[in-house]
Amino acid sequence: SWHVPTAGVTTMRDFLTLAASVAGTELKVSRVQPWMLRMLGIFVPNVREMLEMLYQFNTPYVVDHSKFVREFGDIATSYAAGLRATIDWYRAHSTAQQAA
């Protein structure tokens, strides 16, 4: 199996902190309890599916892309560059849709 390159190991909080910084906003984080997801999952099937993926958020989840790097080199985009491109794209398209 192959895992695509990642920009390194980081925590969700660090990633969100970086995203807020790049976006120029204040970070506001709250935790959703599993029982809340179960309740909402009764009405929203996609939320129900999230329950089986909670392990990725409750325990360290590290993707090892060393096999890919050995074969193709380390071509991962930094988190900051990826976030900046994504946020810039979103802002450009959001403004264009509002104008239309």
Side-chain angles (χ1 to χ4, degrees):
S1 64
W2 296 83
H3 292 291
V4 295
T6 61
V9 176
T10 188
T11 65
M12 183 59 69
R13 180 168 296 278
D14 287 346
F15 183 81
L16 294 174
T17 299
L18 177 60
S21 174
V22 170
T25 62
E26 180 185 343
L27 178 63
K28 296 178 184 176
V29 178
S30 60
R31 183 179 174 127
V32 176
Q33 300 297 326
W35 68 266
M36 294 172 157
L37 292 175
R38 281 189 209 84
M39 294 273 299
L40 190 55
I42 294 170
F43 307 101
V44 183
N46 287 342
V47 172
R48 189 178 326 125
E49 296 297 323
M50 288 177 60
L51 286 167
E52 70 181 72
M53 303 306 289
L54 283 180
Y55 70 93
Q56 294 181 351
F57 301 95
N58 294 331
T59 59
Y61 184 76
V62 179
V63 175
D64 179 6
H65 67 269
S66 59
K67 182 177 174 183
F68 185 98
V69 170
R70 278 193 305 276
E71 192 69 28
F72 301 104
D74 193 1
I75 59 171
T77 301
S78 73
Y79 291 125
L83 285 165
R84 188 167 322 287
T86 301
I87 291 167
D88 288 348
W89 178 92
Y90 176 80
R91 286 180 174 156
H93 286 76
S94 177
T95 303
Q97 285 184 347
Q98 289 176 359

